[in-house]
Amino acid sequence: MKYAGIAICLAIILGAVSHVGFHLYNDLMSLTFVLGGAVGFALLKNETSEMPRNLGDGAVHFGWLGLRVGLVAIAGNAFWAWASVEKLGPALAVSMLSLFYGHPVT
């Protein structure tokens, strides 16, 4: 039953992502931020028996941190005052990708 539930959840996620477009979910900087932070968090805990759990916790923490860093970068950039609104959407999407990358790991 557990594997059937996992398969259903993954199918729903992949269906939604494929409907919107896989290219919108690719950002190497966000992925590196989350994975690097998760590995660093797990190593910082220094508990080899709890390594997978610490890796997942670190991914969630760094996913939220990546979102905050991205939003601060967007809000603090004076460029948005005179730029077109069309450029704000993709920048917000990239800032939210770290949160998207961090949560499925747990």
Side-chain angles (χ1 to χ4, degrees):
M1 284 310 263
K2 182 177 181 179
Y3 294 113
I6 291 173
I8 290 170
C9 290
L10 286 176
I12 290 171
I13 291 170
L14 287 175
V17 168
S18 68
H19 181 70
V20 175
F22 285 106
H23 67 285
L24 296 175
Y25 292 89
N26 297 324
D27 184 53
L28 186 61
M29 186 63 76
S30 298
L31 184 64
T32 304
F33 186 86
V34 172
L35 288 180
V39 169
F41 184 86
L43 292 175
L44 183 66
K45 288 285 193 163
N46 200 19
E47 299 171 1
T48 55
S49 63
E50 294 289 321
M51 190 67 76
R53 181 175 181 80
N54 292 334
L55 188 72
D57 289 346
V60 171
H61 291 311
F62 274 84
W64 280 105
L65 283 173
L67 173 69
R68 291 176 181 155
V69 167
L71 290 177
V72 167
I74 290 170
N77 193 349
F79 173 72
W80 299 114
W82 58 84
S84 62
V85 179
E86 292 88 26
K87 294 180 181 179
L88 185 60
L92 283 171
V94 168
S95 72
M96 290 186 279
L97 278 177
S98 62
L99 187 60
F100 180 77
Y101 292 148
H103 274 283
V105 174
T106 58

